[in-house]
Amino acid sequence: MRGRTAEDARLLELLDPVAEAAGYEIVRLRLMGSEHARRLQIMAETPEGEMNVEGCARLSRALSEVLDAADPVAGVYTLEVSTPGVDRPLTRLKDFETYEGFEARIELDRLAEGRKRFRGELAGVEGDQVAVNLEDEAETALIPFAWILEAKLILTDRLMDRGAQERARRLAAGPNPDSDQEDVP
């Protein structure tokens, strides 16, 4: 789910160790566009879920070095490194635990209960299944993580408040000694 295509998966194999060595985790990787105008979009954060402008630049430099040497992408492309954002994609099992209690949209790669799309409040993880309190359903649904094609948090006031609180906490903790850049929300 962090990548959609076989090419994305190969790029993740190449770039995951680079990101980890730099202190980051790749949340999502997408190689998009036509053969002549491609964009390699990488969303990343620290294991604690943080990312700032300087972190994006630092990770971009580290990834560029490896991409330039290995040349795994045919043709011309633009590398874009960013934070997952407030209404982030949920691509790892741990994301569903971290954002328990928040609303999400989930799309499956197959039909379940006669549909592929679900919306509800995340209720954690049980083994390799995502628990979701679906709208208008009495029981919590368990969805196998392997069936999830795409999942994303829904932008709500509560989610925005969480983002503002995290940003305030980071700012109160003082500047990052490695950076004089402002945090990206």
Side-chain angles (χ1 to χ4, degrees), residues 68-126:
D68 289 347
D71 198 22
V73 179
V76 176
Y77 67 94
T78 302
L79 175 61
E80 176 186 294
V81 176
S82 68
T83 172
V86 176
D87 57 340
R88 61 180 295 128
L90 305 167
T91 62
R92 304 163 297 180
L93 200 53
K94 76 177 196 173
D95 295 335
F96 292 90
E97 284 182 308
T98 300
Y99 291 95
E100 183 175 342
F102 291 94
E103 289 183 64
R105 282 191 190 97
I106 300 172
E107 183 177 347
L108 305 182
D109 65 358
R110 65 196 74 189
L111 286 175
E113 302 292 322
R115 60 186 182 162
K116 284 183 154 188
R117 291 179 182 84
F118 297 85
R119 178 181 173 143
E121 180 182 295
L122 299 177
V125 172
E126 291 187 25

Side-chain angles (χ1 to χ4, degrees), residues 4-107:
R4 283 190 179 155
T5 67
E7 190 172 20
D8 290 349
R10 285 190 301 276
L11 287 167
L12 281 166
E13 282 181 30
L14 175 68
L15 300 176
D16 269 337
V18 178
E20 289 171 16
Y24 299 97
E25 295 177 349
I26 296 175
V27 173
R28 188 178 84 181
L29 179 146
R30 295 283 189 273
L31 184 58
M32 303 174 279
S34 68
E35 192 175 310
H36 303 292
R38 298 178 95 182
R39 179 170 47 127
L40 178 55
Q41 180 191 66
I42 296 175
M43 294 180 179
E45 63 189 7
T46 65
E48 297 77 34
E50 298 177 4
M51 178 61 94
N52 61 28
V53 174
E54 181 59 34
C56 288
R58 185 174 29 253
L59 181 57
S60 180
R61 286 188 298 271
L63 295 174
S64 289
E65 209 173 285
V66 171
L67 289 164
D68 289 347
D71 198 22
V73 179
V76 176
Y77 67 94
T78 302
L79 175 61
E80 176 186 294
V81 176
S82 68
T83 172
V86 176
D87 57 340
R88 61 180 295 128
L90 305 167
T91 62
R92 304 163 297 180
L93 200 53
K94 76 177 196 173
D95 295 335
F96 292 90
E97 284 182 308
T98 300
Y99 291 95
E100 183 175 342
F102 291 94
E103 289 183 64
R105 282 191 190 97
I106 300 172
E107 183 177 347

Side-chain angles (χ1 to χ4, degrees), residues 125-138:
V125 172
E126 291 187 25
D128 62 351
Q129 297 186 86
V130 174
V132 184
N133 295 321
L134 299 173
E135 295 176 333
D136 303 322
E137 298 280 335

